């Protein structure tokens, strides 16, 4: 008889944020012990999150009720002695963290991120498993990408990779369905929010149809959108045939924020091809116990970050001006972080495990995001291909061909050089300088690409001579506190620190409205020195801080008024609806 695993989930104390898990393990008769493991990170969110820290009351017994000896051998491994009998393992998981990648349980619902709930038998990730959910009487719905089982509230996964990629929302969420290109889609709205079902269905259907067109086919039999509505939130995490989104409950009533929500939908849905199937070799099969390193996240997340707003534009939700404003944000975000001179897009990808999800007060000085920089590189690739093929090819053709070659035909991950060679083969364009730029600190001349299609990237601060100290401040409990110091700024050179309290500047008391601070800087010239009184760790100091020229950028992307006809035509192809 083949080994099998069945999980039963119960919620006797949802108000205390617990789920009780019973794991029935059958037919592992040849082993003296079993090692049960829990993942320590979630695919798509590249940080060791230590999910096992929430496990408690672990015990094991035979099906006849005989208690079995258990002990831990590592932070995420529980060893169960075994005499050939079937085993029943029981444990509870505390879940009270609101995010798209962590579980949250309260009286109203349970959102379960599977990597932090379900254990696997060591070296047996390939095994199928079944899940039964025993809901509290006041809950009535389950939304998940898992396949339904034979009985009510039961589900099946062909292996643990699928289980770990299939979150569950359990409670009283508002659900409805619609179909796009023959594939049913379920929407599950969690929490109070003022939204229009018909509008969301209509608008999201346009996005799905456009993405299906780009990729050529949809790999799913069904798809589930789970949205958690909070007072203030924005984010998402992709899964194989579902996504979990976080949004403000006020998002849907304002055009700008609603378009941002549609962009989030476009981003996470795009991932069902780009990342979940088309992927670097390092991103699957996964090692759930340690970091999985790749320099290719600038392609996976960066390309997706480029396409999300572009798809919203193609669907007609963004006017051209609005789309260009969104694209310019990526350039402003990267070039207003001193870290762009120290970290490439590829290294940002590789170091995501220690930098992207663990920012500190100095992160902007040492790092960039592969989302923003990857989007910049993606637009360069798209525009170069459009320009040099006279509009016959574009980045769409590259990613579709890569999906077909590496996933549909060869069913494997790719190396970056393979991706570049395929891109050049499909487009007929030499793309090496852009791919090399992803691994370099040398910046591309992006206007070379924008100008070729009738647009230009303009820094409106280029001719400004704005004096600055290079700090960001916040006001808290009548105190003015430094929260950021820019590399090589006057504050940096003069010794101001994050968490210093600003008391006075040139003898003027700092006030919560920044009147004195703004007045002194307005009078100062580049090269002057200002005297700043601070409190640091309870001691008062006076520091002389040089006033330097601000290097902050203010980019916009605009039409070139006198662009030649051909460039203008190519620009229309780029931003066509």
């Amino acid at each position: 008889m083949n080994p099998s695993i069945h999980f039963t989930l119960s919620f006797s104390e949802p108000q205390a944020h617990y789920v009780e898990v019973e794991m029935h393990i059958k037919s592992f008769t040849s082993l003296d012990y079993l090692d049960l493991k829990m993942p320590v990170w979630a695919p798509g969110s590249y940080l060791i999150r230590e999910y096992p820290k929430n496990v408690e009351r672990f015990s094991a017994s035979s099906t006849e009720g005989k208690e079995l000896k258990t002990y831990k051998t590592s932070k995420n491994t529980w060893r169960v002695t075994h005499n050939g009998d079937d085993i029943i393992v029981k444990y509870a998981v505390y879940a009270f963290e609101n995010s798209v990648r962590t579980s949250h349980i309260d009286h109203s619902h349970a959102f379960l991120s599977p990597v932090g709930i379900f254990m696997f038998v060591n070296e047996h990730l390939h095994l199928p498993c079944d899940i039964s959910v025993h809901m509290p009487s006041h809950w009535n719905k389950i939304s998940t990408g898992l396949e339904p089982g034979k009985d009510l509230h039961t589900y099946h996964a062909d292996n643990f990779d699928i289980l770990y990629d299939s979150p569950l929302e359990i409670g009283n969420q508002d659900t409805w369905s619609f179909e796009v290109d023959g594939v049913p889609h379920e929407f599950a709205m969690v929490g109070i929010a003022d939204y229009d079902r018909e509008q969301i269905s209509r608008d999201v259907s346009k996005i799905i149809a456009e993405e299906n067109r780009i990729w050529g086919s949809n790999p799913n039999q069904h798809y589930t959108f789970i949205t958690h509505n909070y007072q203030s939130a924005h984010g998402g995490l992709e899964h194989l045939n579902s996504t979990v989104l976080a949004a403000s409950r006020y998002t849907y009533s304002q055009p700008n924020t609603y378009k941002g929500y549609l962009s989030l939908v476009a981003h996470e849905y795009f991932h069902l091809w780009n990342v979940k199937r088309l992927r670097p070799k390092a991103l699957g099969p996964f090692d759930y116990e340690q970091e999985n390193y790749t320099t290719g996240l600038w392609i996976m997340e960066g390309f997706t970050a480029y396409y999300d707003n572009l798809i919203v534009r193609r669907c007609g939700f963004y006017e051209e001006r609005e789309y260009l404003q969104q694209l310019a944000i990526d350039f402003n975000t990267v070039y207003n972080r001193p870290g762009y001179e120290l970290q490439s897009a590829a290294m940002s990808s590789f170091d995501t495990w220690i930098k992207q999800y663990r920012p500190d007060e100095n992160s902007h000085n040492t790092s960039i995001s592969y989302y923003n920089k990857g989007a910049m590189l993606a637009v360069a690739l798209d525009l170069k291909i459009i320009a040099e093929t006279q509009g016959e090819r574009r980045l769409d053709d590259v990613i579709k061909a890569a999906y077909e070659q590496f996933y549909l035909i060869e069913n494997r991950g790719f190396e970056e050089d393979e991706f570049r060679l395929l891109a050049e083969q499909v487009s007929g364009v030499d793309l090496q300088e852009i791919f090399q730029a992803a691994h370099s600190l040398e910046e591309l001349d992006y206007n070379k690409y924008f100008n070729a299609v009738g647009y230009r990237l303009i820094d409106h601060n280029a001719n400004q001579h704005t004096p600055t100290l290079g700090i960001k401040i916040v006001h808290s409990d009548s105190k003015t506190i430094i929260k950021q110091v820019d590399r090589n700024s006057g504050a940096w050179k003069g010794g101001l620190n994050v968490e210093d309290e600003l008391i006075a500047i040139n003898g003027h008391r700092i006030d919560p409205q920044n009147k004195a601070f703004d007045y002194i800087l307005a009078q100062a010239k580049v090269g002057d020195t200002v005297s700043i009184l601070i409190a640091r760790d309870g001691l008062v100091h006076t520091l002389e801080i040089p006033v330097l020229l601000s290097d902050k950028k203010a980019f916009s992307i605009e039409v070139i008024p006198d662009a030649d006809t051909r460039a203008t035509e190519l620009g229309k192809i780029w931003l066509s609806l």
Side-chain angles (χ1 to χ4, degrees):
M1 188 173 181
N2 293 327
S4 66
I5 296 174
H6 187 104
F7 292 98
T8 301
L9 304 179
S10 303
F11 301 89
S12 65
E13 296 181 300
Q15 83 290 346
H17 321 301
Y18 281 97
V19 57
E20 294 85 36
V21 183
E22 181 174 300
M23 183 180 185
H24 195 172
I25 306 170
K26 297 182 179 180
S27 303
F28 281 85
T29 56
S30 61
L31 301 177
D32 295 329
Y33 62 85
L34 292 181
D35 281 344
L36 304 183
K37 292 178 173 286
M38 179 172 280
V40 299
W41 68 285
S45 181
Y46 309 101
L47 175 69
I48 301 298
R49 296 189 181 274
E50 310 294 17
Y51 294 112
K53 70 180 183 294
N54 295 317
V55 174
E56 58 186 71
R57 289 175 273 165
F58 185 94
S59 66
S61 65
S62 67
T63 51
E64 288 76 28
K66 179 183 177 181
E67 183 177 353
L68 300 176
K69 182 180 179 182
T70 68
Y71 56 98
K72 291 190 73 172
T73 62
S74 72
K75 66 180 181 181
N76 69 318
T77 307
W78 288 259
R79 179 162 292 178
V80 180
T81 57
H82 184 37
N83 59 5
D85 294 334
D86 293 344
I87 297 173
I88 296 177
V89 172
K90 295 181 180 181
Y91 57 93
V93 179
Y94 179 77
F96 196 53
E97 183 179 351
N98 270 324
S99 82
V100 296
R101 62 193 70 84
T102 52
S103 298
H104 182 273
I105 302 169
D106 61 20
H107 180 74
S108 66
H109 84 128
F111 170 67
L112 303 183
S113 177
V115 286
I117 302 296
F118 300 104
M119 296 185 184
F120 65 94
V121 179
N122 189 34
E123 298 182 353
H124 287 81
L125 284 166
H126 63 283
L127 286 179
C129 59
D130 296 290
I131 301 96
S132 298
V133 181
H134 294 171
M135 290 192 292
S137 60
H138 62 286
W139 297 354
N140 58 34
K141 290 181 182 177
I142 301 174
S143 299
T144 181
L146 288 169
E147 297 299 326
K150 296 179 181 179
D151 300 319
L152 183 65
H153 301 155
T154 64
Y155 299 89
H156 175 79
D158 286 344
N159 55 60
F160 275 77
D161 287 316
I162 292 176
L163 175 62
Y164 288 149
D165 217 6
S166 304
L168 296 96
E169 176 62 39
I170 308 168
N172 302 303
Q173 61 271 21
D174 181 26
T175 60
W176 71 93
S177 298
F178 55 90
E179 191 172 292
V180 183
D181 295 337
V183 177
H185 293 73
E186 177 186 315
F187 242 82
M189 282 289 197
V190 184
I192 296 173
D194 184 14
Y195 51 86
D196 184 326
R197 279 182 167 196
E198 291 187 5
Q199 181 185 20
I200 288 176
S201 298
R202 182 175 60 251
D203 294 345
V204 171
S205 292
K206 290 182 181 179
I207 289 170
I208 294 169
E210 172 61 17
E211 296 194 10
N212 287 344
R213 186 196 66 78
I214 291 171
W215 293 97
S217 62
N218 193 302
N220 288 320
Q221 298 301 311
H222 56 87
Y223 192 90
T224 302
F225 292 95
I226 299 170
T227 300
H228 292 136
N229 293 290
Y230 305 105
Q231 182 176 15
S232 178
H234 185 82
L237 186 63
E238 70 275 5
H239 296 282
L240 195 64
N241 67 342
S242 64
T243 187
V244 183
L245 310 174
S248 166
R249 63 176 60 99
Y250 311 113
T251 287
Y252 314 97
S253 59
Q254 300 296 323
N256 287 341
T257 54
Y258 179 61
K259 291 173 187 177
Y261 177 74
L262 293 179
S263 178
L264 177 63
V265 168
H267 184 104
E268 301 306 335
Y269 201 83
F270 199 84
H271 274 318
L272 75 86
W273 295 277
N274 198 41
V275 166
K276 302 315 298 184
R277 291 166 176 87
L278 174 63
R279 57 175 178 77
K281 284 185 177 179
L283 296 185
F286 294 114
D287 183 339
Y288 295 100
E289 299 186 74
Q290 60 185 350
E291 296 88 345
N292 293 227
Y293 292 103
T294 176
T295 58
L297 291 177
W298 70 273
I299 298 175
M300 312 322 297
E301 291 292 355
F303 280 30
T304 305
Y306 168 59
Y307 269 100
D308 53 20
N309 288 319
L310 184 61
I311 288 165
V312 174
R313 161 62 186 163
R314 289 182 185 177
C315 291
F317 302 119
Y318 275 140
E319 298 294 332
E320 179 178 312
R321 173 187 55 81
E322 293 176 300
Y323 169 69
L324 293 175
Q325 288 174 342
Q326 293 298 317
L327 182 58
I329 288 173
D330 290 312
F331 288 86
N332 285 311
T333 300
V334 170
Y335 287 137
N336 283 318
R337 290 176 67 99
Y340 85 88
E341 295 183 318
L342 299 181
Q343 188 182 58
S344 68
M347 189 50 64
S348 174
S349 302
F350 192 85
D351 277 348
T352 183
W353 296 94
I354 56 175
K355 289 182 179 287
Q356 175 72 18
Y357 295 95
R358 279 205 178 102
D360 60 27
E361 70 282 351
N362 199 43
S363 292
H364 75 293
N365 286 321
T366 63
S367 64
I368 58 169
S369 169
Y370 46 79
Y371 285 83
N372 306 115
K373 191 59 179 289
M376 291 163 56
L377 294 165
V379 70
L381 287 167
D382 200 11
L383 298 184
K384 183 176 176 66
I385 294 170
I386 289 172
E388 295 200 15
T389 65
Q390 297 300 301
E392 293 298 319
R393 292 283 187 274
R394 62 176 311 164
L395 192 56
D396 294 29
D397 301 290
V398 169
I399 59 175
K400 179 182 178 182
Y403 172 69
E404 292 174 349
Q405 182 65 39
F406 297 123
Y407 177 72
L408 293 179
I409 296 175
E410 299 182 21
N411 192 26
R412 65 175 178 87
F414 62 80
E415 300 285 1
E416 282 185 60
D417 282 345
E418 291 182 299
F419 190 95
R420 176 183 61 81
L421 289 172
L422 182 141
E424 293 178 337
Q425 178 183 350
V426 169
S427 66
V429 176
D430 183 352
L431 303 172
Q432 187 160 343
E433 73 168 354
I434 300 175
F435 278 85
Q436 284 181 340
H439 293 260
S440 171
L441 296 179
E442 296 293 325
E443 288 299 312
L444 294 170
D445 176 7
Y446 287 95
N447 261 325
K448 179 172 65 174
Y449 310 108
F450 281 113
N451 293 170
V453 297
Y455 289 84
R456 59 187 177 186
L457 181 69
I458 302 173
D459 177 13
H460 296 276
N461 285 349
N463 296 317
Q464 301 296 316
H465 296 280
T466 305
T468 184
L469 299 183
I471 58 175
K472 285 187 178 180
I473 57 178
V474 298
H475 300 287
S476 176
D477 297 329
S478 299
K479 295 180 179 180
T480 301
I481 307 297
I482 297 176
K483 287 298 180 182
Q484 187 170 293
V485 177
D486 288 344
R487 180 183 294 275
N488 293 328
S489 65
W492 175 284
K493 295 177 184 294
L496 286 175
N497 291 351
V498 169
E499 300 303 330
D500 284 349
E501 177 190 354
L502 297 181
I503 300 174
I505 180 168
N506 280 2
H508 294 259
R509 184 76 166 88
I510 300 290
D511 60 286
Q513 290 75 39
N514 288 340
K515 291 180 179 179
F517 191 86
D518 292 343
Y519 170 77
I520 296 299
L521 277 189
Q523 302 301 312
K525 296 182 175 61
V526 174
D528 288 351
T529 298
V530 295
S531 180
I532 297 185
L533 183 67
I534 65 165
R536 179 183 298 167
D537 191 30
L539 300 178
V540 176
H541 306 269
T542 299
L543 299 177
E544 302 300 317
I545 306 299
V547 179
L548 302 182
L549 182 67
S550 173
D551 62 357
K552 296 303 180 185
K553 312 295 184 184
F555 285 111
S556 68
I557 301 168
E558 301 176 5
V559 173
I560 298 174
D562 56 350
D564 63 61
T565 302
R566 189 55 185 154
T568 300
E569 291 174 353
L570 293 174
K572 291 179 180 178
I573 291 174
W574 174 40
L575 295 183
S576 62
L577 298 178

